[in-house]
Amino acid sequence: MMQLIVAVALWGLVGALAIGTRRRTDQSILYAAVMIAVSLTLNIDAVYFAADGVLGGRNYADLPANLLLLLGGC
């Protein structure tokens, strides 16, 4: 449940950042927030199991989730 709350809160942040994109010339914070939000969304159990099932069921959804988290934090 906590995973869902955190993911929804971060998507709210992405929405707020997206609204203000026209005022900023540097969009890197928006890109980072999107990558982290996608990563946290993939770490919700139900979403992870569904994505992993589509990708073959061998934990292939874990690698993109972790890479997005690392890239978003850079």
Side-chain angles (χ1 to χ4, degrees), residues 41-55 57-65:
T41 301
L42 279 174
N43 282 319
I44 297 172
D45 291 338
V47 176
Y48 175 79
F49 290 134
D52 195 47
V54 169
L55 296 174
R58 298 193 182 269
N59 291 332
Y60 291 138
D62 189 48
L63 181 62

Side-chain angles (χ1 to χ4, degrees), residues 2-72:
M2 184 58 83
Q3 296 167 332
L4 180 62
I5 293 169
V6 171
V8 168
L10 199 51
W11 280 111
L13 171 67
V14 168
L17 288 170
I19 290 171
T21 56
R22 295 185 185 157
R23 289 181 271 144
R24 288 187 308 272
T25 56
D26 183 18
Q27 303 299 326
S28 60
I29 190 71
L30 176 62
Y31 300 142
V34 168
M35 285 188 271
I36 294 170
V38 170
S39 174
L40 291 179
T41 301
L42 279 174
N43 282 319
I44 297 172
D45 291 338
V47 176
Y48 175 79
F49 290 134
D52 195 47
V54 169
L55 296 174
R58 298 193 182 269
N59 291 332
Y60 291 138
D62 189 48
L63 181 62
N66 288 326
L67 286 176
L68 285 171
L69 189 59
L70 286 172
L71 290 173

